[in-house]
Amino acid sequence: MFIYQKIRFLANHKNKWDEWMLSQIATMETGNEIMPPWVMFPGEDVGWRQGYQEAWLHEVWLPFWWRLLPGEREIYINKWNIPAYWRVRISNYTK
C-alpha cells in the first residue's frame, strides 16, 4: 500500500491515525531517521495548509530536520533524492 493510501486509510480511522502519529513522534524522539515528506507523500503539493500531512510535517518531520546539522542535512537530502521543488521549500525551514 502506498504511504499516501495508508494516510488516507488512517485518516478515516482516527484511532489508527493517532497510533501511527505517536509512533512517528516516538521514532523522531529516539533519534531515528524519519522519511522525508517527498517520500511519505509522493506527488503531493508542497503547499499544505491543514490536515494530516501538515500535522505530520510540523509535529514529526520538521523537529527531526531542525535537529540535523548542515552537513547531515545535505547527506540526508542526497540519500533521499530530493526533488528540486522540495529543495526550495526546505530552504525556508532553517532554524
Side-chain angles (χ1 to χ4, degrees):
M1 181 182 299
F2 291 105
I3 294 294
Y4 182 70
Q5 290 170 327
K6 186 174 186 177
I7 298 301
R8 290 258 183 208
F9 172 81
L10 293 171
N12 292 326
H13 300 84
K14 183 156 176 19
N15 290 335
K16 297 277 187 206
W17 166 259
D18 292 342
E19 290 172 21
W20 181 79
M21 187 70 160
L22 290 172
S23 75
Q24 288 283 288
I25 291 169
T27 298
M28 184 268 303
E29 288 177 345
T30 58
N32 292 317
E33 187 172 274
I34 300 293
M35 286 193 297
W38 56 91
V39 174
M40 289 293 288
F41 306 103
E44 286 291 304
D45 183 3
V46 296
W48 301 325
R49 296 292 181 255
Q50 55 188 316
Y52 293 106
Q53 297 97 330
E54 186 177 32
W56 175 85
L57 182 73
H58 290 281
E59 299 296 323
V60 177
W61 192 76
L62 283 175
F64 164 78
W65 177 251
W66 289 329
R67 192 177 59 226
L68 297 176
L69 298 172
E72 294 171 325
R73 288 178 180 178
E74 194 61 33
I75 291 168
Y76 177 84
I77 61 176
N78 288 332
K79 173 186 175 183
W80 290 100
N81 196 25
I82 187 171
Y85 59 89
W86 270 104
R87 186 177 290 270
V88 171
R89 174 79 185 260
I90 66 171
S91 69
N92 296 320
Y93 292 140
T94 57
K95 238 184 167 180

